[in-house]
Amino acid sequence: EDQAQHYESKILHLQAELVSNRLDQQRKITDIESREIQKLQDDIQLAESELRTLSDTLIEAQTAEASHRSASQKLLREQTISKELLEKIRHDTRQEHETCKLRMEDLEGQIEDLTANLRVMAQLQQNEELSQGQILGTVGGEQPTRKQRGKKNRRGKKR
């Protein structure tokens, strides 16, 4: 029985030693794990800090984008208005050009008529016989509505 107690005591002692060794090993693993946990926590804090920084940067970029989009839309509206105004100016200019062209043609016709009248007047002053006659003509005015009666005076025309 002494021997049994001795061996039981030894077994208990060895079991205690084994438990102690296992606890030491677990403490070593726990130290390694705790350092790894600390490293992971530091990484998490760093990532959260970067996330906050990136979030702030994103908000600033979105604010700038909204501002740029607003300016772009304003410029686009102004460009549309400017294009419409330019087309109106071009249309008005074409109309004015056509009107001036017609006026110029009319004035050129009047100049030709006046020049012809001056030549006739100069000829009439040179020729006494013609100066005594009457000259009838129209210069783009209204036609007489009543018919003229009587002989036409053809005196003074030379052929």
Side-chain angles (χ1 to χ4, degrees), residues 33-49:
E33 286 176 346
S34 69
R35 280 187 294 228
E36 191 171 320
I37 289 171
Q38 185 61 41
K39 184 179 181 275
L40 289 173
Q41 287 175 342
D42 292 345
D43 289 345
I44 288 171
Q45 286 179 350
L46 181 63
E48 287 174 344
S49 173

Side-chain angles (χ1 to χ4, degrees), residues 44-59:
I44 288 171
Q45 286 179 350
L46 181 63
E48 287 174 344
S49 173
E50 287 179 14
L51 179 63
R52 280 190 296 274
T53 303
L54 291 175
S55 293
D56 292 344
T57 304
L58 177 62
I59 290 171

Side-chain angles (χ1 to χ4, degrees), residues 40-152:
L40 289 173
Q41 287 175 342
D42 292 345
D43 289 345
I44 288 171
Q45 286 179 350
L46 181 63
E48 287 174 344
S49 173
E50 287 179 14
L51 179 63
R52 280 190 296 274
T53 303
L54 291 175
S55 293
D56 292 344
T57 304
L58 177 62
I59 290 171
E60 289 173 7
Q62 287 173 336
T63 303
E65 179 201 11
S67 172
H68 293 314
R69 182 175 287 139
S70 172
S72 173
Q73 288 174 348
K74 180 182 175 188
L75 290 173
L76 188 60
R77 281 191 303 272
E78 288 176 3
Q79 181 184 24
T80 303
I81 291 168
S82 295
K83 277 185 175 181
E84 291 171 357
L85 184 60
L86 177 63
E87 283 304 313
K88 184 181 183 315
I89 289 171
R90 283 181 178 163
H91 179 262
D92 291 349
T93 303
R94 278 192 293 270
Q95 282 184 334
E96 185 69 24
H97 178 72
E98 288 298 318
T99 302
C100 288
K101 187 176 176 183
L102 292 174
R103 226 183 273 156
M104 187 176 75
E105 289 172 359
D106 184 45
L107 289 173
E108 286 174 348
Q110 288 179 17
I111 289 172
E112 287 177 16
D113 289 345
L114 289 173
T115 304
N117 283 343
L118 284 174
R119 269 189 260 133
V120 167
M121 295 297 277
Q123 284 179 356
L124 284 177
Q125 285 178 356
Q126 289 176 356
N127 190 341
E128 225 176 277
E129 184 181 315
L130 290 175
S131 66
Q132 299 300 321
Q134 290 181 350
I135 299 175
L136 299 174
T138 60
V139 183
E142 291 185 25
Q143 297 286 335
T145 55
R146 64 183 183 125
K147 236 181 174 179
Q148 291 183 346
R149 294 188 177 186
K151 281 186 166 182
K152 293 186 180 175

